[in-house]
């Protein structure tokens, strides 16, 4: 697996520093809330980031999972999102949600999911991503918490996959082009 990696883009130490920074900010931002704080891990890519981050959040949190997909704006009209696994909650008004993602690319997934949860009555919705590729944006979207902005490279590891592989790498690396062009 390591032979398929061109360079390490975000090392384990950098990921540790990123999760420290974001968790500290979340601990501060939500210390006075009187609602439940719910982390939503978006499957599958954000599993490892969610685990590392939540260990460093010292407030009471609940954990939920969603699996979603969204298509480019040319394929489906804006605001639509496919929900493969939804929250098992009826009333969202008693909770502050933080959606946790591994990467923001076009921005469609998080902007649509945020709208969906707000439309369902969530008290508040914020977004948190390990990686952001602003150069790929198709919609006007800025995550509330961002680990690192990265260039438009094919990245894998720490949850991110190519053809379902490499998710278990403990760092984020750039995949050698010959792996995905062959
Ligand atoms: C990735 C990522 C986000 C989405 C971001 O998921 O985890 O959910 O794409 O892209 P966008 O900003 O263009 O909407 P993916 O569909 O690869 O699923 P996975 O996490 O299960 O690998």
């Amino acid at each position: 697996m390591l032979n398929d990696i061109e360079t390490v883009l975000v090392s384990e130490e950098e990921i540790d520093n990123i999760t420290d920074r974001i968790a500290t900010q979340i601990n501060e931002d939500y210390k006075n809330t009187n609602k439940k704080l719910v982390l939503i891990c978006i499957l599958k890519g954000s599993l490892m980031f969610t685990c590392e981050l939540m260990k460093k959040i010292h407030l009471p949190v609940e954990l939920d999972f969603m699996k979603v997909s969204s298509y480019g704006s040319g394929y489906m009209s804006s605001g639509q999102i496919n929900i493969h696994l939804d929250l098992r909650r009826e009333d969202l008004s008693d909770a502050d949600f933080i959606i946790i993602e591994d990467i923001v690319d076009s921005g469609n997934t998080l902007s649509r999911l945020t709208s969906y949860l707000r439309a369902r009555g969530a008290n508040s919705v914020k977004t948190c991503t390990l990686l952001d590729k602003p150069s790929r944006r198709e919609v006007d979207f800025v995550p509330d918490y961002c680990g690192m902005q990265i260039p438009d490279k094919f990245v894998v590891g720490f949850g991110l996959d190519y053809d379902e592989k490499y998710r278990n790498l403990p760092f984020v690396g750039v995949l050698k082009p010959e792996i995905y062009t062959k």
Side-chain angles (χ1 to χ4, degrees):
M1 221 170 30
L2 289 177
N3 286 338
D4 299 348
I5 303 302
E6 193 171 78
T7 51
V8 174
L9 193 64
V10 194
S11 68
E12 290 184 72
E13 188 184 356
E14 286 172 304
I15 291 170
D16 198 39
N17 291 337
I18 285 169
T19 50
D20 273 350
R21 170 172 57 80
I22 295 179
T24 300
Q25 189 65 53
I26 289 174
N27 286 329
E28 178 64 25
D29 291 351
Y30 289 89
K31 67 182 180 192
N32 294 324
T33 185
N34 56 1
K35 304 284 184 184
K36 288 184 228 173
L37 179 56
V38 180
L39 306 180
I40 306 178
C41 170
I42 305 301
L43 298 172
K44 300 176 188 172
S46 80
L47 182 70
M48 282 169 105
F49 181 44
T50 302
C51 291
E52 288 306 303
L53 187 65
M54 69 183 293
K55 285 195 276 186
K56 297 174 179 178
I57 296 176
H58 305 310
L59 306 167
V61 292
E62 295 185 14
L63 177 63
D64 243 317
F65 295 92
M66 293 184 77
K67 184 155 178 59
V68 301
S69 62
S70 70
Y71 298 95
S73 50
Y75 190 80
M76 291 177 93
S77 61
S78 175
Q80 289 189 291
I81 186 160
N82 283 329
I83 313 245
H84 307 289
L85 174 68
D86 205 347
L87 301 176
R88 298 223 171 131
R89 295 170 188 268
E90 291 305 316
D91 180 17
L92 306 194
S93 65
D94 61 348
D96 294 317
F97 294 89
I98 304 177
I99 309 170
I100 304 182
E101 270 287 22
D102 51 341
I103 191 162
V104 181
D105 198 330
S106 69
N108 286 316
T109 302
L110 274 185
S111 64
R112 291 172 185 183
L113 188 52
T114 302
S115 301
Y116 171 77
L117 294 174
R118 286 185 179 140
R120 280 188 57 185
N123 184 62
S124 74
V125 183
K126 283 194 181 183
T127 57
C128 174
T129 187
L130 174 65
L131 305 173
D132 188 7
K133 281 185 182 174
S135 64
R136 298 264 304 168
R137 211 62 105 242
E138 294 175 7
V139 291
D140 186 15
F141 175 80
V142 179
D144 296 293
Y145 305 100
C146 175
M148 187 183 282
Q149 293 193 343
I150 61 167
D152 186 16
K153 302 273 190 192
F154 200 129
V155 287
V156 295
F158 203 70
L160 292 111
D161 76 310
Y162 168 61
D163 200 18
E164 294 301 327
K165 286 182 288 213
Y166 308 101
R167 292 193 197 272
N168 53 323
L169 287 173
F171 56 84
V172 177
V174 177
L175 196 60
K176 288 180 180 168
E178 59 260 39
I179 304 297
Y180 54 88
T181 51
K182 66 184 174 193

